[in-house]
Each structure stands twice: as C-alpha cells, then as structure tokens.
Amino acid sequence: MDDETRQNWELVKTPPGIEWSGRTRYAAATFLYHQGEMSADVLEVYRICSRLDAEDPLDVLRRWQIGADWMERMLAAR
C-alpha cells in the first residue's frame, strides 16, 4: 500500500464530531472509491454525510442496510 492510500484509509476513519470531519471522510471515501475499494452506494452515503460532521456514515449505512462488506472492513480496521 502506498503512502497516499494509507493516508486516505486513516482519513476515512476520522471520528464524527470534529469540525470538517464529514468533508474529510468524504474526500478520503472518494479516493478509495476510485481505487475500487467501495461501491457507489457507500460513497453516496459519505457524500450525504459530508456536511454533517456529527453523523457517522457507518450508522447511516447500518440504518439503510447497505454496504455490509464496507462496514465489516471498517469495523475490523478500528
């Protein structure tokens, strides 16, 4: 894994509640999407949550029952 990819994996895990965290997660998610690491549906959740710093995209994915494979990867990485 190169440095840019490693950095984006860390950024996509930015905790909710920090100012600009939603945009940070979305930017990293966009990078990872273009790397083939997530589906378009999951990226859309990150886009929706990008202006909502306090909203955890994983909670939204769980509520909407999409992105189970992505959630497993993220929970394993925590």
Side-chain angles (χ1 to χ4, degrees):
M1 182 182 304
D2 64 30
D3 289 339
E4 185 176 21
T5 302
R6 187 175 297 105
Q7 180 181 20
N8 279 285
W9 272 109
E10 289 304 314
L11 291 173
V12 80
K13 294 184 281 184
T14 302
I18 300 170
E19 189 172 2
W20 289 88
S21 62
R23 289 169 180 87
T24 299
R25 287 188 299 273
Y26 178 53
T30 300
F31 175 89
L32 294 170
Y33 170 76
H34 286 289
Q35 297 291 312
E37 299 287 345
M38 72 169 58
S39 69
D41 290 342
V42 172
L43 179 62
E44 179 65 7
V45 169
Y46 278 85
R47 186 194 67 76
I48 291 166
C49 293
S50 68
R51 305 269 321 257
L52 306 170
D53 294 335
E55 189 71 54
D56 186 343
L58 296 180
D59 290 341
V60 175
L61 290 168
R62 195 173 298 110
R63 279 194 306 265
W64 292 359
Q65 298 179 355
I66 59 174
D69 55 333
W70 176 258
M71 289 192 325
E72 281 182 36
R73 292 177 73 182
M74 292 298 292
L75 295 175
R78 284 187 173 176

